[in-house]
Amino acid sequence: MSDAVTTQHPTAHPAVPGTAAGRPDRMRLHVVLPSEAGTMPAQELVRLAREAEELGYAGVWLPDHLLPPGPYGRPPEGYGGVYEALTTLAYLAAATERITLGTSVLIAPLREPLLLARQSATLARLSGGRFVLGVGVGWQPYEFAAAGVGFGDRGARTDRTLRLVRHLHTGAGGPYEDGQVAFDGRAVFEPVPREPVPFLIGGNSDAALRRAAEFGGHWQGVGLTPGQFAPLAAELARRAAERGTRVTAGTRIGWDGPDRTVADVAAEVAEWEAAGAADLGVWFGSADGGFADRMQALAERTGVAGGHVAR
């Protein structure tokens, strides 16, 4: 991999959009929207996003899978991402006013980097600065083979993509060359966002922690217990301090059935806050299986307001 970019820009940690109200010292609570059923009308996502905004959640997030080797459905057996995430978030941006909109997470090495820079900048403009680009390196070799993209260098491709996006979002032009993309000084990039689109880096690996510390923004652990999460978050904070960046640490959980009560889930929310999570996303199951009811119940139980839990 070549790191021969001509300009590097330090990244300040941007505030999460849509969370001005509430207690900023408390954990932010988010909603991972259902996108596992091709029969679900897109208007259902609009309804749920609006309701999440009205209930006081910090953000709504969509997963990404381009061509999985199995059916969409309940994770981990099924895949999320029926509705293409960036297109759908643009749709939701027009239907909401305050709530953060993000990907959790988009498979960055499967996306053409110049196009991703344009799409994310456009989403930032369309949403009034509410978009967060959550990325991961991917884990399913089938999707890479189907797309004709090498699986072994997906981490390096992700790094190059993020550096290019950040370069263009700061208003920098050419010349630029990173071994994947090259252009000279004639290149023009628009729209330049008012602030570079924040990144959320997903994954538990050392490379994911390094990536989050390098770019700043947000980190999302995957499949961890609170006890496993805490030392990784501490390590991330140490690395970010060394680089002079700011990163918030978070994760996501699921509540998709009657086997757990709202009290159980609220207790888990409290455990994550105690472990140092600044952000927690919750997937509430299928849209037709009680998603809205569980989302409302947890909002009421945690007292979420302005994006932050209150109790």
Side-chain angles (χ1 to χ4, degrees):
M1 158 180 152
S2 169
D3 290 325
V5 294
T6 58
T7 309
Q8 289 290 337
H9 298 271
T11 304
H13 170 65
V16 174
T19 59
R23 289 269 307 277
D25 57 320
R26 298 297 303 274
M27 186 173 69
R28 290 179 291 257
L29 197 59
H30 304 256
V31 174
V32 180
L33 292 170
S35 184
E36 298 86 29
T39 57
M40 181 185 67
Q43 190 60 30
E44 183 67 10
L45 289 175
V46 171
R47 184 182 73 83
L48 292 172
R50 284 175 171 166
E51 185 171 352
E53 184 171 70
E54 292 170 1
L55 288 169
Y57 283 95
V60 291
W61 302 77
L62 282 171
D64 174 54
H65 275 290
L66 294 182
L67 196 68
Y72 290 98
R74 181 186 184 280
E77 296 84 4
Y79 293 84
V82 164
Y83 284 95
E84 196 283 319
L86 299 179
T87 308
T88 307
L89 289 172
Y91 180 55
L92 297 181
T96 56
E97 297 179 356
R98 302 175 304 279
I99 201 162
T100 295
L101 309 161
T103 50
S104 177
V105 289
L106 180 138
I107 306 172
L110 291 180
R111 302 291 181 131
E112 199 287 316
L114 280 173
L115 179 58
L116 182 58
R118 288 286 305 281
Q119 289 171 316
S120 53
T122 299
L123 254 170
R125 183 72 62 88
L126 293 176
S127 66
R130 293 185 287 137
F131 176 61
V132 175
L133 179 58
V135 302
V137 299
W139 57 272
Q140 177 50 262
Y142 179 88
E143 289 185 288
F144 284 78
V149 176
F151 186 72
D153 67 344
R154 65 195 188 282
R157 290 176 62 89
T158 298
D159 287 338
R160 291 195 297 264
T161 294
L162 293 177
R163 289 175 186 142
L164 175 65
V165 170
R166 182 56 49 79
H167 178 86
L168 293 172
H169 285 192
T170 60
Y176 184 96
E177 192 279 323
D178 69 359
Q180 183 177 12
V181 173
F183 48 84
D184 61 25
R186 296 171 295 177
V188 175
F189 179 86
E190 292 287 355
V192 176
R194 181 174 298 177
E195 299 288 342
V197 169
F199 295 141
L200 177 148
I201 307 300
N204 306 331
S205 68
D206 186 76
L209 296 180
R210 187 267 307 157
R211 198 170 287 124
E214 174 182 348
F215 292 102
H218 313 283
W219 168 71
Q220 185 177 85
V222 181
L224 301 171
T225 66
Q228 294 167 330
F229 171 89
L232 291 179
E235 172 63 15
L236 175 62
R238 184 190 66 79
R239 295 187 185 198
E242 288 180 351
R243 285 182 169 269
T245 57
R246 294 181 60 196
V247 189
T248 64
T251 191
R252 50 182 284 181
I253 62 173
W255 177 29
D256 64 341
D259 56 320
R260 302 179 72 199
T261 68
V262 66
D264 295 333
V265 180
E268 183 178 2
V269 169
E271 288 178 9
W272 282 110
E273 185 173 25
D279 295 278
L280 182 67
V282 185
W283 176 71
F284 294 98
S286 63
D288 60 357
F291 188 106
D293 292 340
R294 286 189 287 273
M295 181 172 66
Q296 180 174 354
L298 187 61
E300 293 173 352
R301 185 72 180 222
T302 59
V304 64
H308 300 264
V309 299
R311 56 179 179 268

